[in-house]
């Protein structure tokens, strides 16, 4: 993907905002009030764990619990207003862009958080690479509409060339941060505010030359666009909270997102494959089973089924089956994706399972996917990650991958800085 092509007026337009942040003295610890992004939280176990970590954990805003959707969203709005009134959350004194750093072991990621001017995929400034689920967009839109807030930043990437944003980041991290904390996953997080007009201008000028790829947050970007349509006048709804990472300096990791088929037992899933796939039992621990999946995936489509106490490596789909079930009007790179084969051939054709929350759960954590499959008597379909160059090439062609095909990371922690549209 050529990320240096757009003219200045056609590139990224990132603006400062008054960040809404936790007041450290009012919470147990900053680590205890943070959360992974809403779609990474494993429910119900992870949700309950976060809720019990601190009474003000951000999960109470991004995943409020109540009987009906409307009640959930109103509960989040009331909670947000109460936390601001009680001084749990407070706005920064002036608009800023925020330099954000994550580190763990040999992993170091730095980027800039700000309010990005919204654009449609057709404009070629922010490029999606995955389809979205309408019911998720509807739910996120109702939550954002009711709270009038962007509660967590999307993760966007661009390919820099050592320009202004990089210089500003490297100068900024030499200063004392606004906050520093280490979350229970071992990642250290630091945040700085950038308010100097010259530095803000350098970031703005540098980003105006680039386009970005949505690495994580397709549903929230679609939500931003929907809410912009609802608010026709120029204003805060024309922007959305994002974290921009220059992957030329800080490459992201790409991981798979696994599927949990809640109502399909493993034996039934395997029986439906007939002779159209090769099936091999893998009597080994999960790490070794995943290595066998990686080896098989190097030769073509491969999946690892779990849920009955062992693992089943499923690969080598019959070419005639793929020819019948995979749409032919897409690029070859799309037709050969594991996610394409899973959804078009297995879910739609062989299993006849609709892509609804009742039938399919999307789980990032491999161990959690296996554990929940065994608990529910369902099937975990464990996936191998897609290469980043494949993702980028398809996005450049305007071709979206099946929903939840990739997981880029590390993802920003939710709760370090929020954007209230009432402050813009």
């Amino acid at each position: 993907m050529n990320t240096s092509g757009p003219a200045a007026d056609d590139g990224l337009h990132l603006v400062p905002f008054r960040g809404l942040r936790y007041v450290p003295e009012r919470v147990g610890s900053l680590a205890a009030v943070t959360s992974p992004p809403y779609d990474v939280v494993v429910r119900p176990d992870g949700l309950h764990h976060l809720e019990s970590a601190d009474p003000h954990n951000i999960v109470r805003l991004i995943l409020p619990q109540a009987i009906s959707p409307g009640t959930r969203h109103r509960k989040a709005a009331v909670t947000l207003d109460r936390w601001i009134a009680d001084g749990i959350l407070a706005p920064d004194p002036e608009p800023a862009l925020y330099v954000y750093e994550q580190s763990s072991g040999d992993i170091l990621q730095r980027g800039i958080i700000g309010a990005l001017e919204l654009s449609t995929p057709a404009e070629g400034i922010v490029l999606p690479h995955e389809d979205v689920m309408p019911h998720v967009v509807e739910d996120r839109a109702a939550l954002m509409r009711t709270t009038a807030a962007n509660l967590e930043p999307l993760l966007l990437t661009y390919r820099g060339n050592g320009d202004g944003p990089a210089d500003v980041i490297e100068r900024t991290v030499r200063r004392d941060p606004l906050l520093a904390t280490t979350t229970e996953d071992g990642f250290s997080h630091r945040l700085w505010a950038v308010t100097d007009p010259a530095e803000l201008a350098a970031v703005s000028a540098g980003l105006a030359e680039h386009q970005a790829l949505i690495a994580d947050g397709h549903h929230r970007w679609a939500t931003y666009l929907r809410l912009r349509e609802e608010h026709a006048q120029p204003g805060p709804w024309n922007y959305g909270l994002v974290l921009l990472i220059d992957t030329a300096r800080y490459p992201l990791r790409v991981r798979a997102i696994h599927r949990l088929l809640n109502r399909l037992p493993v034996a039934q899933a395997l029986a439906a494959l007939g002779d159209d796939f090769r099936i091999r039992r893998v009597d080994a621990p999960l790490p070794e089973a995943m290595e066998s999946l990686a080896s098989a995936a190097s030769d073509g489509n491969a999946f690892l089924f779990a849920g009955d106490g062992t693992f089943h490596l499923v690969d080598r789909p019959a070419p005639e089956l793929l020819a019948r079930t995979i749409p032919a009007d897409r690029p070859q790179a799309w037709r050969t994706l594991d996610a394409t084969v899973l959804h078009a051939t297995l879910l739609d054709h062989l299993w006849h399972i609709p892509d609804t929350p009742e039938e399919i759960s999307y789980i990032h954590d491999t161990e959690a996917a296996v554990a929940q499959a065994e608990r529910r008597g369902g099937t975990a379909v464990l996936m191998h990650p897609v290469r980043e160059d494949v993702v980028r090439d398809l996005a450049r062609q305007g071709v979206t991958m099946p929903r939840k095909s990739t997981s880029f990371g590390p993802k920003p922690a939710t709760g370090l800085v929020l954007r209230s549209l009432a402050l813009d």
Side-chain angles (χ1 to χ4, degrees):
M1 181 172 60
N2 179 8
T3 56
S4 59
D9 290 342
D10 298 327
L12 301 168
H13 183 210
L14 192 71
V15 303
F17 69 102
R18 289 182 67 193
L20 189 62
R21 298 189 294 111
Y22 280 100
V23 177
E25 296 78 15
R26 299 302 309 275
V27 297
S29 72
L30 288 175
V33 295
T34 64
S35 162
Y38 80 97
D39 59 336
V40 180
V41 176
V42 178
R43 288 164 270 190
D45 300 352
L47 180 64
H48 295 159
H49 173 72
L50 291 165
E51 286 182 330
S52 61
D54 188 283
H56 303 106
N57 189 283
I58 193 69
V59 78
R60 297 179 185 274
L61 300 183
I62 63 173
L63 290 173
Q65 299 301 293
I67 295 175
S68 67
T71 305
R72 287 199 304 268
H73 305 140
R74 287 191 295 273
K75 181 178 179 181
V78 169
T79 300
L80 176 60
D81 290 344
R82 184 175 70 247
W83 287 359
I84 295 173
D86 292 347
I88 306 300
L89 291 166
D92 284 333
E94 57 183 320
L97 296 177
Y98 296 87
V99 169
Y100 175 46
E101 177 189 272
Q102 296 164 271
S103 61
S104 177
D106 60 354
I107 299 172
L108 176 64
Q109 179 171 287
R110 291 170 176 159
I112 299 178
I113 295 175
L116 184 67
E117 186 174 16
L118 303 180
S119 59
T120 64
E123 295 173 76
I125 299 172
V126 175
L127 304 178
H129 69 268
E130 288 184 357
D131 293 332
V132 297
M133 294 175 272
H135 73 274
V136 177
V137 176
E138 182 178 347
D139 179 74
R140 291 293 102 182
L143 178 63
M144 286 190 203
R145 188 185 301 115
T146 307
T147 58
N150 299 158
L151 301 172
E152 46 188 339
L154 284 63
L155 178 60
L156 273 60
T157 70
Y158 70 101
R159 302 287 293 179
N161 49 20
D163 45 16
D167 293 338
V168 170
I169 289 173
E170 299 312 315
R171 285 197 300 269
T172 300
V173 297
R174 293 196 288 267
R175 304 197 294 257
D176 291 336
L178 285 176
L179 64 86
T181 190
T182 300
T183 45
E184 64 179 9
D185 59 3
F187 271 88
S188 297
H189 307 263
R190 298 197 295 170
L191 191 76
W192 295 260
V194 177
T195 58
D196 178 80
E199 292 188 328
L200 294 175
V203 172
S204 179
L207 291 177
E209 301 176 356
H210 298 291
Q211 59 186 174
L213 175 74
I214 300 176
D216 186 69
H218 285 81
H219 289 90
R220 283 166 285 166
W221 185 260
T223 297
Y224 288 166
L225 293 176
R226 174 182 290 193
L227 294 175
R228 182 183 68 168
E229 292 177 0
E230 294 178 6
H231 299 79
Q233 299 301 318
W237 294 98
N238 282 25
Y239 296 81
L241 185 64
V242 306
L243 165 64
L244 277 165
I245 301 290
D246 175 2
T247 54
R249 296 179 70 92
Y250 301 105
L252 271 65
R253 296 173 296 163
V254 186
R255 293 181 172 176
I257 302 177
H258 310 296
R259 275 66 169 161
L260 172 57
L261 313 180
N262 296 304
R263 301 175 181 176
L264 182 68
V266 173
Q268 187 177 338
L270 293 171
L273 304 184
D275 297 326
D276 287 322
F277 286 81
R278 182 174 68 169
I279 302 171
R280 290 175 287 167
R281 182 171 171 142
V282 182
D283 292 315
L286 179 57
E288 294 180 24
M290 292 301 291
E291 289 178 6
S292 69
L293 172 62
S295 177
S298 65
D299 294 327
N301 300 116
F303 311 93
L304 192 68
F305 291 9
D308 61 352
T310 189
F311 302 102
H312 306 269
L313 185 61
V314 176
D315 65 353
R316 297 189 181 177
E320 58 273 15
L321 173 66
L322 300 183
R324 293 198 317 268
T325 57
I326 303 295
D329 59 347
R330 302 288 185 90
Q332 176 71 7
W334 182 89
R335 297 199 303 271
T336 55
L337 289 170
D338 288 338
T340 298
V341 174
L342 173 60
H343 283 261
T345 304
L346 292 171
L347 291 170
D348 294 349
H349 182 75
L350 295 179
W351 293 332
H352 306 290
I353 295 177
D355 193 356
T356 63
E358 296 77 21
E359 298 288 348
I360 305 175
S361 300
Y362 292 82
I363 301 179
H364 293 70
D365 184 83
T366 309
E367 293 183 358
V370 174
Q372 291 206 27
E374 292 179 348
R375 184 186 310 160
R376 300 179 187 180
T379 298
V381 180
L382 306 181
M383 311 281 287
H384 185 68
V386 183
R387 298 195 321 273
E388 183 178 0
D389 62 311
V390 173
V391 176
R392 188 177 295 113
D393 287 345
L394 287 172
R396 184 182 58 208
Q397 297 175 59
V399 177
T400 54
M401 300 164 64
R403 60 197 64 169
K404 300 292 183 181
S405 293
T406 58
S407 176
F408 284 85
K411 303 179 189 303
T414 298
L416 297 180
V417 60
L418 290 63
R419 175 178 175 250
S420 170
L421 279 73
L423 297 172
D424 285 10

